[in-house]
């Protein structure tokens, strides 16, 4: 079974803090994705990556950056957290760019 | 940019009722289509997918969906729902661009389904 793990299930940070959300997949997938999930808005793509050190902006990249130094790990960075970034963050991975995505359990981030 | 529309945000049914959740997308080219489900407290998991071939696809737990290209639709169905089907359901689209690449998934806003015993 594909396993996508995220470093924290719940995280509370203060406005202005730098926040790192980590995601690791164990199936040698090429592609990794970060989404945020908000009630009534569904999932929205923040960033994705097709290869190590490669990144592409999704639909809502503002206020976020990413890092992919190793194939299995994809980090989402909030340079200066703001209250409107309070959300559930979901990481996903897929074998190819057109294959189904496998999701992690999510990190519920609260920014005070 | 493509968009995905799910017609119902909240649906309440009794056990054994039939279910149909609507999904329409806006992209005019070739697409891959997915339905994901999120049970309470659990992570998103794939219910079914359509890439090509038979437009009627079957997924897990008795769900099926029909791709109607002329209507840009991919509606989810189940003949008889159970209490355990209570969950949030998301339709998602992955457009296939002419260059051969693809993008992340575009999701609908979700349908919250409640099955009453």
């Amino acid at each position: 079974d594909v396993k996508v793990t995220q470093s924290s299930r719940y995280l509370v940070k203060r406005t202005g803090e730098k926040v790192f959300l980590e995601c690791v997949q164990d199936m040698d997938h090429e592609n990794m994705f970060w989404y945020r999930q908000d009630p009534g808005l569904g999932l929205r793509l923040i960033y994705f990556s097709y290869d190590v050190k490669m990144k592409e902006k999704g639909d809502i990249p503002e206020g976020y950056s990413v890092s992919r130094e190793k194939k299995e790990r994809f980090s989402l960075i909030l340079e200066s957290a703001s209250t409107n970034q309070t959300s559930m963050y979901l990481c996903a991975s897929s074998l190819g760019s057109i294959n189904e995505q496998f999701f992690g359990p999510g990190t519920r981030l609260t920014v005070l | 940019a493509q968009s995905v529309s799910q017609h119902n945000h909240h649906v309440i049914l009794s056990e054994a009722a039939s279910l149909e959740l609507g999904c329409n997308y806006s992209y005019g080219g070739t697409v891959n289509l997915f339905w994901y489900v999120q049970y309470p407290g659990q992570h998103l998991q794939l219910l079914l997918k359509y890439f090509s071939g038979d437009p009627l696809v079957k997924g897990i737990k008795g769900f099926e969906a029909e791709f109607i290209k002329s209507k840009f639709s991919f509606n989810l169905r189940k003949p008889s729902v159970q209490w355990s089907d209570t969950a949030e359901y998301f339709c998602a689209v992955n457009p296939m661009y002419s260059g051969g690449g693809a993008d992340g998934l575009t999701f609908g806003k979700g349908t919250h389904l409640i099955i009453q015993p």
Side-chain angles (χ1 to χ4, degrees):
Chain A
D1 272 356
V2 175
K3 195 164 184 183
V4 180
T5 57
Q6 295 183 230
S7 51
S8 307
R9 290 301 301 271
Y10 300 93
L11 208 52
V12 180
K13 296 292 182 180
R14 296 210 174 272
T15 301
E17 280 193 82
K18 190 169 185 176
V19 181
F20 292 88
L21 303 183
E22 304 286 342
C23 174
V24 177
Q25 50 92 6
D26 67 356
M27 284 300 292
D28 203 34
H29 282 176
E30 299 159 358
N31 308 297
M32 297 188 75
F33 307 83
W34 275 106
Y35 296 87
R36 62 178 282 176
Q37 181 180 10
D38 299 288
L41 296 178
L43 279 77
R44 293 176 291 167
L45 181 66
I46 304 172
Y47 266 98
F48 58 100
S49 169
Y50 289 145
D51 202 352
V52 175
K53 296 192 186 295
M54 181 273 179
K55 61 186 179 183
E56 293 283 347
K57 292 181 180 179
D59 299 319
I60 52 163
E62 296 78 19
Y64 303 94
S65 62
V66 291
S67 171
R68 193 162 180 204
E69 296 296 319
K70 293 185 178 182
K71 190 175 185 179
E72 67 271 17
R73 187 179 297 269
F74 192 35
S75 303
L76 180 70
I77 303 156
L78 287 66
E79 294 289 342
S80 177
S82 64
T83 54
N84 62 12
Q85 292 178 311
T86 291
S87 186
M88 172 70 87
Y89 290 89
L90 298 178
C91 176
S93 72
S94 69
L95 180 59
S97 57
I98 62 170
N99 288 4
E100 66 183 271
Q101 294 181 17
F102 295 86
F103 284 82
T107 295
R108 185 168 294 281
L109 172 67
T110 301
V111 183
L112 301 176
Chain B
Q2 66 275 6
S3 65
V4 178
S5 175
Q6 290 185 237
H7 308 156
N8 310 98
H9 297 303
H10 297 276
V11 174
I12 301 174
L13 294 173
S14 298
E15 275 194 314
S18 64
L19 170 72
E20 180 159 3
L21 301 182
C23 173
N24 286 89
Y25 62 94
S26 64
Y27 185 69
T30 302
V31 292
N32 297 323
L33 297 157
F34 306 83
W35 274 97
Y36 281 85
V37 61
Q38 190 172 35
Y39 297 105
Q42 296 187 27
H43 61 273
L44 269 169
Q45 55 186 284
L46 184 71
L47 261 184
L48 47 78
K49 60 188 177 185
Y50 173 80
F51 286 172
S52 63
D54 188 344
L56 184 63
V57 293
K58 295 192 184 298
I60 61 171
K61 304 188 180 187
F63 285 91
E64 64 180 30
E66 184 176 13
F67 170 51
I68 303 178
K69 189 174 182 180
S70 60
K71 294 184 177 180
F72 300 92
S73 70
F74 190 55
N75 293 352
L76 181 71
R77 299 195 292 248
K78 185 171 184 178
S80 176
V81 294
Q82 301 171 303
W83 176 79
S84 58
D85 292 326
T86 293
E88 188 136 21
Y89 292 80
F90 294 94
C91 181
V93 170
N94 184 199
M96 300 303 300
Y97 299 117
S98 58
D103 215 331
L105 295 175
T106 298
F107 282 83
K109 294 182 179 180
T111 297
H112 189 200
L113 175 66
I114 296 173
I115 306 301
Q116 296 176 329

